[in-house]
Amino acid sequence: MFRKMRRFKQGLSAEKCAEILQTEPRGVLAVLGDGGYPYTVPLDFVYADNKLFFHSAVEGHKVDAIRGNPKASFCVLSQGELSDDGWSFFFESVVVFGRVTVVDDERERADKLRRLGLKYYPSEVEVDDEIRADMKRALLLQLEIEHMSGKRVHEK
């Protein structure tokens, strides 16, 4: 169902893709939006259990699109590194495909929201305070990965 990468020599291993998903701070979620147009939105995320988790408001364009069609892709781009020529970059990207669902289980929601917070907040105290204050209003989305590929590119 999923295409093979055309430039397979630039391909990354599954382990390297997972490392990028664990370390990079943001990615872009693509869903089928209003009128059949693609809708993309940059998101903070956490990678755990071969899934991606996102914090969300309970309503809006993204949530409406997911409820209409749960298929999505998510792209993460590394910060890259300057090549020896001083102006071009090497960077890595990971693209995943899967289906997005709402996490309803309260224990899992609390666990994954906490993991998400620990990735971004400066302290555990701040994470716990935020979860206590906003957990009832927070939606947790998960993208279960059905296909993942990554590549390293020299961008000139």
Side-chain angles (χ1 to χ4, degrees), residues 9-143:
K9 290 181 181 177
Q10 296 173 322
L12 301 176
S13 68
E15 294 78 20
K16 183 62 178 176
C17 290
E19 177 187 318
I20 291 167
L21 293 176
Q22 289 166 349
T23 57
E24 292 301 326
R26 279 166 210 83
V28 178
L29 180 70
V31 294
L32 187 60
D34 294 347
Y37 282 95
Y39 176 67
T40 61
V41 60
L43 295 172
D44 295 343
F45 69 98
V46 68
Y47 174 69
D49 307 324
N50 199 42
K51 299 174 186 169
L52 298 170
F53 294 89
F54 316 99
H55 172 273
S56 177
V58 297
E59 59 185 31
H61 193 168
K62 173 181 67 215
V63 174
D64 291 346
I66 290 165
R67 288 192 171 127
N69 184 343
K71 291 180 180 179
S73 78
F74 189 72
C75 179
V76 176
L77 187 66
S78 72
Q79 294 182 27
E81 58 190 58
L82 192 60
S83 68
D84 291 339
D85 63 22
W87 66 271
S88 63
F89 276 83
F90 286 98
F91 69 88
E92 298 155 328
S93 63
V94 175
V95 176
V96 302
F97 294 89
R99 295 170 198 268
V100 180
T101 56
V102 174
V103 177
D104 292 321
D105 179 83
E106 290 300 313
R107 181 174 281 166
E108 185 176 13
R109 278 182 72 233
D111 174 61
K112 296 308 188 284
L113 285 169
R114 189 166 199 280
R115 288 177 77 163
L116 185 61
L118 290 171
K119 185 174 176 181
Y120 298 98
Y121 280 75
S123 75
E124 288 185 45
V125 171
E126 289 172 286
V127 170
D128 293 338
D129 288 347
E130 188 72 22
I131 288 173
R132 267 192 301 281
D134 291 332
M135 179 136 163
K136 290 184 182 31
R137 294 189 311 262
L139 195 63
L140 181 68
L141 302 172
Q142 74 177 11
L143 189 157

